[in-house]
């Protein structure tokens, strides 16, 4: 069964940096788009950044210029480099990917379990 496992969350101070990683593992035939989403307490989950297989990226306005998404297709991994973080960036960050599992006929969206990011002022 396909799994997405995030790592790299934790505590940072305002203006600091964090790097999130997400590994897609087990029985993967192919991966299309990958992305990062976040959900703060009491708020809906929102898109942070996405990246296509070919490296085309999109960013939400609130992170553009501060966060960078990247991926390593040879390792089935996606990363989120977070710089100049703000308390408003505090949330659970989720990895998301459009994956075709081995033996499957179609691509479907998978989610990781989430990793907590907390930014102190």
């Amino acid at each position: 069964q396909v799994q997405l496992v995030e790592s790299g969350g934790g505590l940072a101070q305002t203006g600091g940096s964090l790097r999130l990683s997400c590994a897609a593992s087990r029985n993967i035939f192919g991966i299309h788009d990958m992305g990062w989403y976040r959900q703060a307490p009491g708020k809906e989950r929102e898109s942070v950044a996405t990246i296509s297989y070919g490296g085309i990226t999109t960013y939400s306005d609130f992170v553009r210029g501060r966060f960078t998404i990247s991926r390593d297709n040879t390792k089935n991994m996606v990363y989120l480099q977070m710089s100049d973080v703000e308390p408003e960036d505090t949330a659970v960050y989720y990895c998301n990917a459009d994956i075709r599992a081995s033996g499957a006929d179609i691509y479907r969206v998978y989610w990781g379990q989430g990793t907590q990011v907390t930014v102190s002022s």
Side-chain angles (χ1 to χ4, degrees):
Q1 183 174 353
V2 172
Q3 289 185 329
L4 293 176
V5 180
E6 300 103 334
S7 60
L11 179 65
Q13 293 185 334
T14 297
S17 299
L18 284 171
R19 186 176 190 239
L20 306 184
S21 300
C22 174
S25 60
R26 298 187 184 181
N27 306 319
I28 293 174
F29 178 85
I31 305 177
H32 283 169
D33 292 352
M34 305 184 81
W36 290 94
Y37 289 69
R38 70 185 188 186
Q39 187 166 19
K43 295 186 177 181
E44 294 186 353
R45 190 173 298 187
E46 59 185 359
S47 175
V48 175
T50 66
I51 184 168
S52 70
Y53 181 84
I56 297 173
T57 58
T58 66
Y59 294 95
S60 296
D61 288 343
F62 50 78
V63 302
R64 187 174 290 113
R66 300 187 298 122
F67 294 4
T68 302
I69 189 170
S70 60
R71 64 189 286 173
D72 185 335
N73 292 330
T74 66
K75 298 179 179 178
N76 291 335
M77 294 194 68
V78 63
Y79 307 94
L80 186 69
Q81 178 65 47
M82 305 169 63
S83 300
D84 194 21
V85 295
E86 305 167 349
E88 292 75 18
D89 295 319
T90 295
V92 177
Y93 283 71
Y94 296 91
C95 173
N96 160 289
D98 193 20
I99 296 173
R100 179 179 171 184
S102 298
D105 294 328
I106 61 173
Y107 284 79
R108 57 155 285 195
V109 174
Y110 290 83
W111 291 89
Q113 80 288 351
T115 184
Q116 177 70 46
V117 170
T118 302
V119 181
S120 62
S121 58

